[in-house]
């Protein structure tokens, strides 16, 4: 769809949209860059700190087990008692030492509540001694997952506890006890963490998002993972362990690591979508706010457009009324001061234009009236009447009745045509004058034509412009009839609120060029007789009826000529039609 940039509406909407979009884009870009840095640094720093605390907690736990294991080895009191027990031959001493060792084991366990199972394990015999809890059948250190080995100590886990009546996950330590006279690494101190300590240390909720803990052993393989689907145990993660950075991005995950001095590493894997969830939430909120701002901008643009468009439409309506020559229409205000000022000035201009049109129309009407009066007064009526009366008196004295009659008719015709009784007469008076004129012409042409009248009697009292029928009949005599005897028909009837006057002859007819020339002003200079031509009739109709009067000439060679005039009725009665 093509946008019309020439439209005020389009430009207004585009301007308001740009005034909204540009600040939003600038603010969005600045906020995006700033928040992206803040979010990443904040989240990464928080995760790294939390992971560091987890590493420290786990290191402390393993270190505490290492400290306790020293007490249970040959370096500690309990370990020394165990060495004496294993080398003693006295049953009484053995019983005494056994009671003492068990008592000390319980004391150590009591003073270290974060520890769980403690025992001495004999791998060769698969025998367990001095356990503080009942151990499940088939227990063996060799089956435990090695986490790291430092200074002869082995850390295992996470793995299922050796406690027979639990399946919780724990960390454990195995330390060899060297007893004189007994082969090395035939006796081990085995210690586990408390059953609930593992869940406390590796708590997913510490990071505020879904996170997966991964423990890597010394070789970089996964010793433990709480998401076996994505990160199965035994998978090689040495590329993370040996990386120089603490944060890496691989396969849609962010990996945060902490390397322990004990040889193991702890890694937190966070899905990239979860990691950027908060940032994406901000983006969605910003996008929603932007859409709301754009919608408000469009609504405001349309509101402003309506505020501007309605006054413009009112002004356009006033201009169209002026184009339709409606100078007296009521001015409708817009209640907007600036537009009302324009409308007020326009109304003054329209009023002035109306006055000028009325003045011009009046001047033209007076001019036309003066031209008609000039034609009617070209001859001195008083001189003509006196001359004709003298001729008529001489004819009567000499017994010239035909001359007397001719002069009498001609006098009446001149009296009517040159009279000053008014410009509007009744139809009956116009017809009487026409009949006198026809009688005069019949004497002149030796009665070689006939005029027939068909007039509706109810129209005789209607008023029409004076001297309007004679020029039409005169034209039929001069231009319509030839040398042969002709007939002129005058029909006057009413129809549709108009008086229809038709003058028809059976003469030779005229071409279109002859009709046009007949209606022109120049043809009047070649006229003869008393008539002043059809242009006079056209001007009279224009002066009296403006556009409500019509005059039409139809002529065909060999078929005669018909002249039709339609003028409004002055009295509208049902009987007229």
């Amino acid at each position: 769809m093509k946008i019309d940039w020439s439209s005020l509406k389009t430009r207004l909407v585009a301007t308001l949209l740009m005034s909204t979009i540009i600040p939003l884009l600038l603010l969005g870009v600045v906020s995006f860059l700033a928040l992206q840095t803040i979010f990443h640094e904040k989240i990464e720093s928080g995760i790294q700190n939390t992971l560091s605390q987890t590493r420290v907690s786990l290191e402390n736990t393993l270190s505490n087990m290492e400290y306790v294991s020293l007490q249970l080895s040959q370096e500690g009191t309990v370990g020394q008692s165990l060495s004496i027990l294993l080398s003693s031959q006295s049953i009484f001493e053995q019983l005494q030492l056994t009671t003492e060792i068990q008592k000390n084991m319980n004391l150590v366990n009591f003073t270290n509540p974060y520890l769980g199972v403690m025992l001495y394990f004999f791998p060769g015999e698969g025998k367990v001694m001095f356990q503080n809890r009942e151990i499940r059948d088939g227990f063996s250190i060799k089956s435990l997952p090695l986490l790291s080995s430092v200074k002869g100590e082995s850390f295992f886990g996470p793995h299922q506890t050796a406690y027979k009546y639990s399946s919780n996950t724990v960390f454990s330590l195995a330390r060899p006890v060297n007893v004189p006279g007994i082969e090395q690494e035939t006796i081990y101190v085995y210690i586990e963490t408390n059953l609930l300590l593992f869940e406390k240390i590796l708590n997913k909720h510490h990071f505020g998002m879904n996170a997966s803990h991964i423990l890597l052993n010394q070789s970089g393989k996964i010793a433990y993972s709480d998401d076996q689907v994505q990160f199965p145990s035994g998978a090689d993660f040495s590329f993370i362990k040996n990386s120089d950075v603490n944060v890496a991005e691989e396969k849609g995950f962010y990996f945060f690591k902490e390397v322990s001095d004990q040889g193991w590493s702890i890694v937190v894997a966070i899905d990239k979508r979860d990691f950027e969830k908060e940032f994406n939430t901000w983006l969605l909120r910003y996008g929603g706010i932007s859409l709301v701002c754009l919608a408000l901008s469009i609504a405001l643009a349309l509101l402003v457009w309506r505020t501007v468009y309605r006054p413009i439409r009112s002004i356009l309506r006033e201009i169209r009324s002026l184009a339709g020559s409606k100078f007296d229409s009521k001015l409708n205000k817009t209640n907007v001061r600036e537009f009302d000022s324009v409308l007020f000035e326009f109304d003054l201009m329209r009023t002035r234009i109306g006055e000028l049109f009325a003045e011009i129309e009046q001047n033209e009407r007076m001019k036309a009236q003066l031209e008609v009066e000039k034609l009617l007064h070209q001859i001195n009526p008083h001189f003509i009447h006196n001359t004709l009366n003298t001729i008529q008196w001489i004819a009567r004295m000499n017994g010239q009745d035909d001359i007397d009659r001719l002069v009498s008719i001609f006098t009446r015709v001149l009296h009517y045509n040159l009279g000053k009784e008014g410009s509007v007469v009744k139809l009956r008076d116009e017809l009487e004058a026409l009949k006198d004129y026809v009688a005069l012409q019949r004497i002149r042409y030796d009665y070689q034509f006939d005029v027939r009248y068909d007039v509706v009697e109810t129209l005789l009292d209607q008023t029409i412009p004076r001297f309007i029928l004679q020029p039409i009949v005169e034209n039929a005599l001069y231009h319509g009839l030839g040398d042969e005897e002709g007939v002129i028909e005058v029909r006057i009837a009413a129809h549709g609120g108009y008086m229809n006057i038709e003058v028809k002859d059976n003469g030779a007819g005229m071409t279109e060029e002859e009709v046009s020339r007949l209606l022109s002003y120049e043809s009047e200079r070649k006229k003869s007789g008393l008539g002043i031509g059809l242009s006079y009739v056209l001007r009279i109709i224009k002066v009296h009826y403006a556009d409500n009067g019509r005059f039409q000439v139809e002529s065909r060679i060999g078929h005669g000529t018909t002249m039709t005039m339609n003028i409004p009725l002055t009295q509208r009665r049902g009987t007229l039609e």
Side-chain angles (χ1 to χ4, degrees), residues 312-359:
I312 291 177
R313 188 170 57 182
S314 298
I315 294 175
L316 181 61
R317 188 164 49 247
E318 297 297 333
I319 292 175
R320 287 175 178 172
S321 68
L322 178 61
S325 299
K326 296 180 180 179
F327 300 101
D328 56 348
S329 61
K330 184 180 178 182
L331 184 65
N332 296 318
K333 294 184 177 181
T334 62
N335 295 325
V336 179
R337 184 175 59 186
E338 290 78 7
F339 285 107
D340 284 341
S341 298
V342 174
L343 280 175
F344 179 72
E345 295 296 330
F346 175 81
D347 189 54
L348 291 178
M349 180 188 70
R350 179 174 59 184
T351 302
R352 181 56 182 160
I353 291 175
E355 293 174 352
L356 290 175
F357 270 111
E359 183 178 345

Side-chain angles (χ1 to χ4, degrees), residues 13-29:
V13 172
T15 301
L16 287 178
L17 281 178
M18 293 301 294
S19 65
T20 302
I21 292 174
I22 292 176
L24 281 175
L25 286 177
L26 293 176
L27 179 62
V29 170

Side-chain angles (χ1 to χ4, degrees), residues 482-497:
D483 296 334
E484 299 180 0
E485 182 177 349
V487 176
I488 299 175
E489 298 180 8
V490 179
R491 298 190 181 94
I492 303 177
H495 181 71

Side-chain angles (χ1 to χ4, degrees), residues 229-477:
V229 176
Q230 295 287 345
F231 314 107
S233 297
D236 187 3
F237 255 60
S238 57
F239 67 95
I240 296 293
K241 177 177 173 53
N242 300 327
S243 175
D244 295 332
V245 294
N246 291 330
V247 181
E249 180 182 353
E250 293 284 344
K251 302 178 182 179
F253 286 88
Y254 285 109
F255 295 97
F256 300 82
K257 74 171 182 178
E258 284 285 328
V259 180
S260 173
D261 294 335
Q262 297 171 344
W264 50 269
S265 301
I266 184 169
V267 179
V268 169
I270 299 177
D271 193 310
K272 190 175 180 180
R273 292 171 296 181
D274 290 335
F275 183 80
E276 297 179 351
K277 182 178 180 181
E278 186 175 354
F279 183 71
N280 292 333
T281 301
W282 175 85
L283 286 178
L284 290 175
R285 290 176 180 175
Y286 175 77
I289 293 174
S290 299
L291 291 177
V292 172
C293 291
L294 290 177
L296 290 176
S297 179
I298 294 175
L300 288 175
L302 295 177
L303 179 61
V304 173
W305 164 242
R306 291 186 63 183
T307 304
V308 174
Y309 176 68
R310 287 182 178 178
I312 291 177
R313 188 170 57 182
S314 298
I315 294 175
L316 181 61
R317 188 164 49 247
E318 297 297 333
I319 292 175
R320 287 175 178 172
S321 68
L322 178 61
S325 299
K326 296 180 180 179
F327 300 101
D328 56 348
S329 61
K330 184 180 178 182
L331 184 65
N332 296 318
K333 294 184 177 181
T334 62
N335 295 325
V336 179
R337 184 175 59 186
E338 290 78 7
F339 285 107
D340 284 341
S341 298
V342 174
L343 280 175
F344 179 72
E345 295 296 330
F346 175 81
D347 189 54
L348 291 178
M349 180 188 70
R350 179 174 59 184
T351 302
R352 181 56 182 160
I353 291 175
E355 293 174 352
L356 290 175
F357 270 111
E359 183 178 345
I360 293 172
E361 185 178 353
Q362 181 67 22
N363 291 339
E364 290 297 322
R365 188 174 298 161
M366 291 177 63
K367 181 180 178 181
Q369 186 68 29
L370 289 174
E371 289 179 358
V372 173
E373 291 181 1
K374 178 182 177 182
L375 290 173
L376 293 177
H377 295 84
Q378 285 179 346
I379 304 176
N380 189 328
H382 184 68
F383 172 76
I384 294 175
H385 283 301
N386 288 341
T387 303
L388 290 176
N389 286 335
T390 302
I391 294 173
Q392 186 179 11
W393 179 74
I394 294 174
R396 287 179 182 176
M397 291 291 294
N398 294 324
Q400 299 292 329
D401 294 334
D402 291 338
I403 296 175
D404 179 28
R405 180 170 174 271
L406 177 61
V407 172
S408 177
I409 295 174
F410 184 58
T411 300
R412 289 199 302 271
V413 171
L414 284 179
H415 178 76
Y416 181 80
N417 289 349
L418 302 178
K420 300 180 180 180
E421 292 80 5
S423 61
V424 178
V425 296
K426 291 185 177 181
L427 178 60
R428 65 172 74 252
D429 296 333
E430 182 73 6
L431 286 174
E432 290 297 330
L434 177 62
K435 290 176 181 179
D436 285 339
Y437 170 77
V438 170
L440 185 64
Q441 295 290 38
R442 291 184 69 188
I443 294 174
R444 177 185 176 186
Y445 289 101
D446 196 18
Y447 301 95
Q448 292 182 358
F449 68 90
D450 186 21
V451 178
R452 301 172 184 173
Y453 301 93
D454 183 6
V455 181
V456 177
E457 293 185 2
T458 54
L459 297 175
L460 293 177
D461 289 327
Q462 289 288 315
T463 57
I464 62 173
R466 188 165 63 90
F467 195 58
I468 198 171
L469 294 180
Q470 179 183 315
I472 303 175
V473 176
E474 181 180 5
N475 182 80
L477 289 174

Side-chain angles (χ1 to χ4, degrees), residues 113-183:
Y114 50 86
L115 297 181
V117 174
M118 290 189 296
L119 54 86
Y120 286 99
F121 180 69
F122 297 82
E125 304 173 9
K127 183 174 66 172
V128 175
M129 292 183 63
F130 303 110
Q131 67 270 24
N132 60 348
R133 295 183 184 180
E134 189 175 353
I135 306 302
R136 68 173 181 271
D137 298 335
F139 170 76
S140 175
I141 294 177
K142 294 181 179 180
S143 63
L144 299 179
L146 178 65
L147 183 62
S148 65
S149 180
V150 181
K151 299 178 182 180
E153 298 174 349
S154 297
F155 295 98
F156 302 97
H159 60 83
Q160 185 178 353
T161 180
Y163 181 38
K164 185 176 182 178
Y165 301 106
S166 176
S167 59
N168 286 7
T169 303
V170 295
F171 290 96
S172 61
L173 176 145
R175 185 186 188 96
V177 178
N178 296 322
V179 178
I182 300 178
E183 268 186 55

